[in-house]
Amino acid sequence: MQPQASKPTEWREIDVIYDPETIAGRVRELGAEVTEYYDSGELLLLGTLKGSFMFMADLVRSIARAHQLEFIVAASYGKGVSSSGHVRLLYDPQAVFEGKHVLLIEDIVDSGATLNRLVRLLRTRDPLSLDICTLLHKHLAADLQLEPRFVGFDAPADFLVGYGLDYAERYRHLPFIGIMQEVDG
Ligand code: IMP
Ligand code: MG
């Protein structure tokens, strides 16, 4: 049979930039950094869903000190590849933040709109400290309220998918992170 000039497969549209081993190694290092940084006090990890679910699951297993975890849901992207700039809070946990070290866990910092909104909100809840740990940082945001203290990778400005990151809710399950290429057919 003649090979078909078919549409590219789901896999071929994505160029892998961080493979599973690279991610696992860096996440273990981040866990060690977090463990060392917080030498006393109550620690609360606050993950942003859905993007950080896989990162959070791996990170907490590398943090060798007691901590609690919660999730918060904010949405800034619609179905496209660029931020709408408008951040909606879809789920806000009822947990007490007062007197705790709160570490916000993000999948990726792009425009910074989501982080700025969350940082402003969390500061009103009197945490003992507030810091950010992001797996990926595009370094595009001009006016971040708070620079991430822990960064997994300095990421390219491309649109990335996998390891929690989606494009229109697809690709979150991929065990690697890749650049999503424009589909040409
Ligand atoms: P920001 O508000 O523009 O910084 O975007 C933050 C959120 O948008 C992240 O938590 C992601 O959910 C999503 N996002 C930003 N950049 C990307 C990307 O390259 N791929 C997939 N999702 C992204
Ligand atoms: Mg997200």
PDB file of all heavy atoms in Angstrom, residues 76-77 83 106-114 138 158-160 165-166, ligand 1:
ATOM      1  N   SER A  76      -6.793  31.531  33.061  1.00  0.00           N
ATOM      2  CA  SER A  76      -6.524  32.760  32.302  1.00  0.00           C
ATOM      3  C   SER A  76      -6.573  32.504  30.808  1.00  0.00           C
ATOM      4  O   SER A  76      -6.813  33.408  30.026  1.00  0.00           O
ATOM      5  CB  SER A  76      -5.155  33.349  32.665  1.00  0.00           C
ATOM      6  OG  SER A  76      -4.126  32.520  32.192  1.00  0.00           O
ATOM      7  N   TYR A  77      -6.326  31.230  30.432  1.00  0.00           N
ATOM      8  CA  TYR A  77      -6.355  30.920  28.999  1.00  0.00           C
ATOM      9  C   TYR A  77      -7.747  30.432  28.637  1.00  0.00           C
ATOM     10  O   TYR A  77      -8.382  29.742  29.416  1.00  0.00           O
ATOM     11  CB  TYR A  77      -5.368  29.801  28.677  1.00  0.00           C
ATOM     12  CG  TYR A  77      -3.959  30.260  28.445  1.00  0.00           C
ATOM     13  CD1 TYR A  77      -3.334  31.115  29.337  1.00  0.00           C
ATOM     14  CD2 TYR A  77      -3.253  29.833  27.332  1.00  0.00           C
ATOM     15  CE1 TYR A  77      -2.037  31.527  29.125  1.00  0.00           C
ATOM     16  CE2 TYR A  77      -1.962  30.236  27.112  1.00  0.00           C
ATOM     17  CZ  TYR A  77      -1.351  31.086  28.011  1.00  0.00           C
ATOM     18  OH  TYR A  77      -0.070  31.496  27.798  1.00  0.00           O
ATOM     19  N   SER A  83      -2.530  34.066  26.558  1.00  0.00           N
ATOM     20  CA  SER A  83      -3.295  34.400  27.749  1.00  0.00           C
ATOM     21  C   SER A  83      -4.310  35.487  27.439  1.00  0.00           C
ATOM     22  O   SER A  83      -4.028  36.427  26.705  1.00  0.00           O
ATOM     23  CB  SER A  83      -2.327  34.889  28.832  1.00  0.00           C
ATOM     24  OG  SER A  83      -3.045  35.278  29.969  1.00  0.00           O
ATOM     25  N   GLU A 106       3.339  26.564  40.774  1.00  0.00           N
ATOM     26  CA  GLU A 106       2.835  26.858  39.425  1.00  0.00           C
ATOM     27  C   GLU A 106       3.478  25.936  38.401  1.00  0.00           C
ATOM     28  O   GLU A 106       4.617  25.503  38.584  1.00  0.00           O
ATOM     29  CB  GLU A 106       3.188  28.309  39.051  1.00  0.00           C
ATOM     30  CG  GLU A 106       2.042  29.288  39.204  1.00  0.00           C
ATOM     31  CD  GLU A 106       1.006  29.220  38.087  1.00  0.00           C
ATOM     32  OE1 GLU A 106       0.882  28.185  37.398  1.00  0.00           O
ATOM     33  OE2 GLU A 106       0.301  30.220  37.922  1.00  0.00           O
ATOM     34  N   ASP A 107       2.760  25.655  37.343  1.00  0.00           N
ATOM     35  CA  ASP A 107       3.356  24.899  36.242  1.00  0.00           C
ATOM     36  C   ASP A 107       4.265  25.797  35.412  1.00  0.00           C
ATOM     37  O   ASP A 107       5.386  25.438  35.091  1.00  0.00           O
ATOM     38  CB  ASP A 107       2.257  24.249  35.379  1.00  0.00           C
ATOM     39  CG  ASP A 107       1.134  25.214  35.003  1.00  0.00           C
ATOM     40  OD1 ASP A 107       1.114  26.362  35.500  1.00  0.00           O
ATOM     41  OD2 ASP A 107       0.261  24.827  34.208  1.00  0.00           O
ATOM     42  N   ILE A 108       3.753  26.978  35.068  1.00  0.00           N
ATOM     43  CA  ILE A 108       4.515  27.837  34.149  1.00  0.00           C
ATOM     44  C   ILE A 108       4.137  29.298  34.361  1.00  0.00           C
ATOM     45  O   ILE A 108       2.975  29.600  34.610  1.00  0.00           O
ATOM     46  CB  ILE A 108       4.273  27.383  32.683  1.00  0.00           C
ATOM     47  CG1 ILE A 108       5.184  28.125  31.704  1.00  0.00           C
ATOM     48  CG2 ILE A 108       2.817  27.497  32.273  1.00  0.00           C
ATOM     49  CD1 ILE A 108       5.277  27.446  30.329  1.00  0.00           C
ATOM     50  N   VAL A 109       5.134  30.163  34.307  1.00  0.00           N
ATOM     51  CA  VAL A 109       4.873  31.604  34.353  1.00  0.00           C
ATOM     52  C   VAL A 109       5.079  32.157  32.943  1.00  0.00           C
ATOM     53  O   VAL A 109       6.153  32.032  32.372  1.00  0.00           O
ATOM     54  CB  VAL A 109       5.809  32.336  35.340  1.00  0.00           C
ATOM     55  CG1 VAL A 109       5.452  33.820  35.389  1.00  0.00           C
ATOM     56  CG2 VAL A 109       5.723  31.718  36.727  1.00  0.00           C
ATOM     57  N   ASP A 110       4.019  32.725  32.427  1.00  0.00           N
ATOM     58  CA  ASP A 110       4.043  33.275  31.067  1.00  0.00           C
ATOM     59  C   ASP A 110       3.882  34.789  31.175  1.00  0.00           C
ATOM     60  O   ASP A 110       4.842  35.498  31.429  1.00  0.00           O
ATOM     61  CB  ASP A 110       2.920  32.598  30.268  1.00  0.00           C
ATOM     62  CG  ASP A 110       2.891  33.007  28.810  1.00  0.00           C
ATOM     63  OD1 ASP A 110       3.754  33.785  28.388  1.00  0.00           O
ATOM     64  OD2 ASP A 110       1.998  32.536  28.073  1.00  0.00           O
ATOM     65  N   SER A 111       2.673  35.309  31.049  1.00  0.00           N
ATOM     66  CA  SER A 111       2.476  36.760  31.166  1.00  0.00           C
ATOM     67  C   SER A 111       2.580  37.217  32.620  1.00  0.00           C
ATOM     68  O   SER A 111       2.791  38.392  32.893  1.00  0.00           O
ATOM     69  CB  SER A 111       1.099  37.148  30.617  1.00  0.00           C
ATOM     70  OG  SER A 111       0.081  36.761  31.526  1.00  0.00           O
ATOM     71  N   GLY A 112       2.372  36.284  33.547  1.00  0.00           N
ATOM     72  CA  GLY A 112       2.412  36.635  34.971  1.00  0.00           C
ATOM     73  C   GLY A 112       1.063  37.082  35.519  1.00  0.00           C
ATOM     74  O   GLY A 112       0.928  37.306  36.723  1.00  0.00           O
ATOM     75  N   ALA A 113       0.060  37.169  34.660  1.00  0.00           N
ATOM     76  CA  ALA A 113      -1.254  37.655  35.098  1.00  0.00           C
ATOM     77  C   ALA A 113      -1.854  36.759  36.187  1.00  0.00           C
ATOM     78  O   ALA A 113      -2.398  37.249  37.184  1.00  0.00           O
ATOM     79  CB  ALA A 113      -2.198  37.747  33.903  1.00  0.00           C
ATOM     80  N   THR A 114      -1.729  35.450  36.001  1.00  0.00           N
ATOM     81  CA  THR A 114      -2.298  34.511  36.976  1.00  0.00           C
ATOM     82  C   THR A 114      -1.609  34.654  38.320  1.00  0.00           C
ATOM     83  O   THR A 114      -2.260  34.790  39.367  1.00  0.00           O
ATOM     84  CB  THR A 114      -2.141  33.056  36.474  1.00  0.00           C
ATOM     85  OG1 THR A 114      -2.659  32.972  35.146  1.00  0.00           O
ATOM     86  CG2 THR A 114      -2.869  32.082  37.375  1.00  0.00           C
ATOM     87  N   LYS A 138       9.066  31.470  31.695  1.00  0.00           N
ATOM     88  CA  LYS A 138       9.384  31.983  30.355  1.00  0.00           C
ATOM     89  C   LYS A 138      10.130  33.312  30.404  1.00  0.00           C
ATOM     90  O   LYS A 138      10.623  33.769  29.364  1.00  0.00           O
ATOM     91  CB  LYS A 138       8.095  32.140  29.534  1.00  0.00           C
ATOM     92  CG  LYS A 138       7.454  30.830  29.090  1.00  0.00           C
ATOM     93  CD  LYS A 138       6.281  31.100  28.150  1.00  0.00           C
ATOM     94  CE  LYS A 138       5.569  29.820  27.753  1.00  0.00           C
ATOM     95  NZ  LYS A 138       4.342  30.098  26.955  1.00  0.00           N
ATOM     96  N   ASP A 158       8.064  29.630  23.599  1.00  0.00           N
ATOM     97  CA  ASP A 158       7.113  28.885  22.766  1.00  0.00           C
ATOM     98  C   ASP A 158       5.927  28.385  23.588  1.00  0.00           C
ATOM     99  O   ASP A 158       5.935  28.479  24.813  1.00  0.00           O
ATOM    100  CB  ASP A 158       7.797  27.662  22.162  1.00  0.00           C
ATOM    101  CG  ASP A 158       9.029  28.032  21.385  1.00  0.00           C
ATOM    102  OD1 ASP A 158       8.894  28.377  20.215  1.00  0.00           O
ATOM    103  OD2 ASP A 158      10.128  27.997  21.985  1.00  0.00           O
ATOM    104  N   PHE A 159       4.947  27.820  22.918  1.00  0.00           N
ATOM    105  CA  PHE A 159       3.819  27.220  23.616  1.00  0.00           C
ATOM    106  C   PHE A 159       4.158  25.772  23.939  1.00  0.00           C
ATOM    107  O   PHE A 159       4.437  24.971  23.052  1.00  0.00           O
ATOM    108  CB  PHE A 159       2.530  27.294  22.783  1.00  0.00           C
ATOM    109  CG  PHE A 159       1.327  26.969  23.612  1.00  0.00           C
ATOM    110  CD1 PHE A 159       0.778  27.930  24.444  1.00  0.00           C
ATOM    111  CD2 PHE A 159       0.773  25.693  23.598  1.00  0.00           C
ATOM    112  CE1 PHE A 159      -0.309  27.616  25.256  1.00  0.00           C
ATOM    113  CE2 PHE A 159      -0.316  25.384  24.405  1.00  0.00           C
ATOM    114  CZ  PHE A 159      -0.857  26.355  25.232  1.00  0.00           C
ATOM    115  N   LEU A 160       4.163  25.459  25.219  1.00  0.00           N
ATOM    116  CA  LEU A 160       4.613  24.143  25.685  1.00  0.00           C
ATOM    117  C   LEU A 160       3.432  23.281  26.131  1.00  0.00           C
ATOM    118  O   LEU A 160       2.447  23.802  26.649  1.00  0.00           O
ATOM    119  CB  LEU A 160       5.581  24.320  26.861  1.00  0.00           C
ATOM    120  CG  LEU A 160       6.764  25.270  26.600  1.00  0.00           C
ATOM    121  CD1 LEU A 160       7.621  25.404  27.842  1.00  0.00           C
ATOM    122  CD2 LEU A 160       7.589  24.803  25.429  1.00  0.00           C
ATOM    123  N   LEU A 165       0.772  20.418  31.351  1.00  0.00           N
ATOM    124  CA  LEU A 165       0.422  21.570  30.496  1.00  0.00           C
ATOM    125  C   LEU A 165      -0.442  21.118  29.322  1.00  0.00           C
ATOM    126  O   LEU A 165      -0.150  20.101  28.693  1.00  0.00           O
ATOM    127  CB  LEU A 165       1.687  22.227  29.949  1.00  0.00           C
ATOM    128  CG  LEU A 165       2.616  22.854  30.971  1.00  0.00           C
ATOM    129  CD1 LEU A 165       3.992  23.059  30.370  1.00  0.00           C
ATOM    130  CD2 LEU A 165       2.040  24.171  31.451  1.00  0.00           C
ATOM    131  N   ASP A 166      -1.448  21.903  29.033  1.00  0.00           N
ATOM    132  CA  ASP A 166      -2.380  21.501  27.980  1.00  0.00           C
ATOM    133  C   ASP A 166      -2.443  22.495  26.841  1.00  0.00           C
ATOM    134  O   ASP A 166      -2.040  23.652  26.956  1.00  0.00           O
ATOM    135  CB  ASP A 166      -3.798  21.391  28.554  1.00  0.00           C
ATOM    136  CG  ASP A 166      -4.405  22.774  28.814  1.00  0.00           C
ATOM    137  OD1 ASP A 166      -3.746  23.593  29.492  1.00  0.00           O
ATOM    138  OD2 ASP A 166      -5.509  23.047  28.321  1.00  0.00           O
TER     139      ASP A 166
HETATM  140  P1  IMP B   1       0.103  33.611  32.724  1.00  0.00           P
HETATM  141  O1  IMP B   1      -1.032  34.101  33.542  1.00  0.00           O
HETATM  142  O2  IMP B   1       0.126  34.222  31.336  1.00  0.00           O
HETATM  143  O3  IMP B   1       1.467  33.711  33.383  1.00  0.00           O
HETATM  144  O4  IMP B   1      -0.152  32.089  32.410  1.00  0.00           O
HETATM  145  C1  IMP B   1      -0.204  31.177  33.428  1.00  0.00           C
HETATM  146  C2  IMP B   1      -1.024  29.969  33.083  1.00  0.00           C
HETATM  147  O5  IMP B   1      -1.316  29.870  31.686  1.00  0.00           O
HETATM  148  C3  IMP B   1      -0.237  28.751  33.440  1.00  0.00           C
HETATM  149  O6  IMP B   1      -0.530  28.337  34.745  1.00  0.00           O
HETATM  150  C4  IMP B   1      -0.698  27.756  32.390  1.00  0.00           C
HETATM  151  O7  IMP B   1      -1.849  27.091  32.834  1.00  0.00           O
HETATM  152  C5  IMP B   1      -1.038  28.581  31.197  1.00  0.00           C
HETATM  153  N1  IMP B   1       0.088  28.645  30.256  1.00  0.00           N
HETATM  154  C6  IMP B   1       0.992  29.636  30.107  1.00  0.00           C
HETATM  155  N2  IMP B   1       1.912  29.340  29.168  1.00  0.00           N
HETATM  156  C7  IMP B   1       1.573  28.098  28.710  1.00  0.00           C
HETATM  157  C8  IMP B   1       2.161  27.205  27.727  1.00  0.00           C
HETATM  158  O8  IMP B   1       3.191  27.474  27.069  1.00  0.00           O
HETATM  159  N3  IMP B   1       1.520  26.033  27.545  1.00  0.00           N
HETATM  160  C9  IMP B   1       0.399  25.662  28.250  1.00  0.00           C
HETATM  161  N4  IMP B   1      -0.166  26.450  29.180  1.00  0.00           N
HETATM  162  C10 IMP B   1       0.417  27.660  29.404  1.00  0.00           C
END
